[in-house]
Amino acid sequence: MTDERRAMRFTFRQLEYFVAAGETGSITLAAERINISQPSISSAISQLEAELGVQLFVRHHAQGLSLTPAGKRLLREAKELLSQALNLYDSVSDVTAEIRGTLSVGCMVTMAPMVMPELCYSFCASFPRTSISQTVASQEALIEGLRRAEIDLALLYDLDIPKDIEFEPLVSLPPYVQLSETHPLANHSRLGLSDLVGEPLILLDLPLSREYFLQLFASQNLTPCIGARTPYPDMLRTMVANGHGYGLANVRPKADLALDGRRLVRVPLAGSLRPMRICVATFGSLRPSRLAQAFENHCKTFISDGYIPGMVPPRMDTRA
């Protein structure tokens, strides 16, 4: 039996142009993204289609593009192939001990404004030939981003993490009560959930976070009185500071002010309530690059019970 091998007659450059067009849905935007002329993008796509014998895009007016089913499959494979090719730099880095490249990092929206700026700056300062592309989203969106290889790793909470996602816990954040400084309960040293059921709860209405806070009450056979819902942490803090009700949270910003300048008070919750844990998560089916491993190690040394970028660590919080 003869071993017939077909010569590869397309290039990584053509795949790069195809990926840019597939992700932007436009020849014009793809050309702008990678600083290449539009005819070069069009030519590369045509050559790929001729070589593979399939139509990759449906062309629309004004140069708009939409992927065919074959194009969608090739987009996934091409991104993985290009990623593997870039990892060749990591193989060289094993010898030179150099960490380089661009890393895509996701972070849960409720902690990203506090954690990510300092964490990413300190990493890039330690590894000057690196850069970080940040994605801020809900936990569900970040998990899907990991699965689709759109992000390399993510900072999440340990809430309902699927089995195909690997995670390393970094620090535990027990829940506490947010109150305005004029609230009648603000001068308490500690509060139970039973003390709060008659008060209006301003609920952080994000997937998983919402269920987590409601489960705290359910674990004690209590039902909160929900006064309002919002998916925006800053809106929640401002509503609480203006006396609309109380909030529940785990992250502890260093500033105890809402965006409008009104002051917030943190009061600890009594009882053994499940904390949230910040963790660094990766997709279990993908081998992490040396760059990703370096960032994960940076997270492990930079985030602990004694220090959290942009936050007051729970054990050092004198106000909660």
Side-chain angles (χ1 to χ4, degrees):
M1 183 175 179
T2 61
D3 181 14
E4 296 182 358
R5 296 181 183 274
R6 183 177 181 182
M8 187 176 71
R9 290 189 289 270
F10 59 83
T11 67
F12 285 108
R13 187 70 66 191
Q14 290 171 341
L15 290 179
E16 181 186 0
Y17 294 175
F18 162 72
V19 168
E23 290 185 334
T24 61
S26 164
I27 295 290
T28 301
L29 294 177
E32 292 175 355
R33 175 196 278 192
I34 56 180
N35 197 27
I36 294 296
S37 69
Q38 295 182 35
S40 296
I41 302 283
S42 298
S43 176
I45 292 172
S46 297
Q47 290 170 11
L48 273 177
E49 289 180 324
E51 170 63 19
L52 299 175
V54 294
Q55 182 176 346
L56 300 175
F57 291 102
V58 176
R59 277 76 169 173
H60 303 289
H61 294 298
Q63 294 186 312
L65 302 174
S66 59
L67 287 162
T68 64
K72 291 178 180 178
R73 289 194 297 272
L74 181 62
L75 181 63
R76 291 194 297 268
E77 296 294 336
K79 289 173 66 175
E80 183 174 350
L81 182 59
L82 290 171
S83 176
Q84 290 172 351
L86 288 173
N87 283 340
L88 290 175
Y89 286 115
D90 293 335
S91 299
V92 176
S93 295
D94 287 335
V95 179
T96 63
E98 179 184 50
I99 301 295
R100 58 181 290 174
T102 298
L103 189 69
S104 180
V105 178
C107 188
M108 181 71 176
V109 62
T110 54
M111 61 172 146
M114 289 166 279
V115 173
M116 290 296 279
E118 183 180 349
L119 184 68
C120 294
Y121 178 84
S122 60
F123 179 78
C124 292
S126 299
F127 301 98
R129 300 199 68 180
T130 65
S131 61
I132 294 178
S133 172
Q134 300 183 34
T135 297
V136 177
S138 68
Q139 182 133 324
E140 290 180 332
L142 293 174
I143 287 173
E144 284 306 304
L146 290 171
R147 287 172 171 158
R148 294 194 297 265
E150 294 173 352
I151 54 179
D152 297 300
L153 47 78
L155 291 173
L156 307 174
Y157 298 122
D158 64 331
L159 301 177
D160 228 9
I161 296 181
K163 292 182 179 180
D164 60 342
I165 301 297
E166 296 183 355
F167 68 96
E168 182 74 24
L170 300 174
V171 64
S172 291
L173 303 176
Y176 65 91
V177 187
Q178 294 176 320
L179 297 164
S180 72
E181 62 179 345
T182 59
H183 195 286
L185 298 176
N187 61 353
H188 284 60
S189 60
R190 190 169 295 269
L191 289 168
L193 291 175
S194 59
D195 298 319
L196 301 169
V197 291
E199 302 287 332
L201 167 64
I202 312 302
L203 180 65
L204 182 61
D205 200 8
L206 286 171
L208 301 181
S209 295
R210 172 181 58 237
E211 287 76 16
Y212 165 80
F213 290 120
L214 292 178
Q215 181 57 35
L216 296 179
F217 289 93
S219 68
Q220 297 186 8
N221 296 316
L222 298 172
T223 301
C225 174
I226 299 176
R229 298 169 181 258
T230 177
Y232 305 109
D234 282 331
M235 183 66 177
L236 188 154
R237 287 168 57 83
T238 304
M239 291 181 70
V240 168
N242 280 270
H244 290 263
Y246 71 94
L248 297 178
N250 297 78
V251 298
R252 290 163 162 78
K254 288 184 177 179
D256 57 2
L257 299 176
L259 288 182
D260 65 354
R262 287 180 168 81
R263 191 169 300 279
L264 291 156
V265 174
R266 291 193 291 266
V267 179
L269 277 169
S272 300
L273 298 173
R274 183 198 188 285
M276 282 187 184
R277 291 188 298 175
I278 297 178
C279 60
V280 57
T282 56
F283 185 41
S285 298
L286 294 179
R287 181 181 68 86
S289 65
R290 287 189 71 245
L291 176 57
Q293 290 174 334
F295 188 84
E296 182 172 345
N297 290 335
H298 183 72
C299 291
K300 292 177 183 177
T301 58
F302 216 69
I303 301 175
S304 67
D305 289 334
Y307 187 80
I308 307 173
M311 294 188 204
V312 179
R315 74 176 188 182
M316 301 177 67
D317 188 1
T318 60
R319 291 166 295 184

